[in-house]
Amino acid sequence: QVRLVESGGVLVQPGGSLRLSCAASGSIFSINTMGWYRQAPGNERELVGTISSVGRTNYADSVKGRFTVCRDNAKNTVYLQMNSLKPEDTAVYYCNVYIIEAVDLGLREGWGQGNLVTVSS
């Protein structure tokens, strides 16, 4: 079984920066795509950005140039660096990871528990 643990959610002022992290642990053979989604109150969950196993990234237009997704394969961890934060970035942020489990080499999708990021003065 694979576990995802997020950290980093907090209150930050507009224009500020914040880094979220999400660490995977458990029966992991390898990790494919890792990424982040967010859900604001009353809205659907939406893509923020993803990073493939070879480092190729993809971002939502709303965060391009401000947010960066990166990963540390040795630590099975994905990060979301958020700069120039805006009030409209306020949401619960979830990490999303596709893992090949060691026990049966099956591909599994996992979600983090979610972290609230509030951008407000």
Side-chain angles (χ1 to χ4, degrees):
Q1 189 171 0
V2 176
R3 184 170 176 238
L4 298 176
V5 177
E6 295 184 33
S7 62
V10 74
L11 171 65
V12 62
Q13 291 189 339
S17 297
L18 186 64
R19 188 176 83 157
L20 304 181
S21 64
C22 174
S25 61
S27 174
I28 299 172
F29 178 77
S30 65
I31 301 179
N32 289 357
T33 300
M34 309 178 85
W36 294 89
Y37 288 72
R38 68 185 180 185
Q39 186 166 17
N43 287 2
E44 300 273 329
R45 190 174 296 188
E46 64 177 9
L47 170 74
V48 175
T50 61
I51 183 167
S52 73
S53 59
V54 294
R56 185 173 294 119
T57 55
N58 175 55
Y59 296 98
D61 289 342
S62 59
V63 306
K64 280 180 182 176
R66 299 187 300 122
F67 290 11
T68 302
V69 179
C70 60
R71 61 193 285 170
D72 183 334
N73 291 328
K75 297 181 179 179
N76 292 332
T77 298
V78 61
Y79 303 94
L80 177 65
Q81 177 66 44
M82 301 183 286
N83 298 327
S84 302
L85 281 159
K86 305 174 182 180
E88 51 263 43
D89 294 318
T90 296
V92 177
Y93 284 73
Y94 299 89
C95 65
N96 174 260
V97 179
Y98 283 87
I99 294 171
I100 296 178
E101 289 200 65
V103 64
D104 60 1
L105 299 184
L107 181 65
R108 306 281 188 269
E109 180 184 23
W111 289 92
Q113 81 276 12
N115 257 331
L116 176 62
V117 173
T118 303
V119 184
S120 175
S121 54

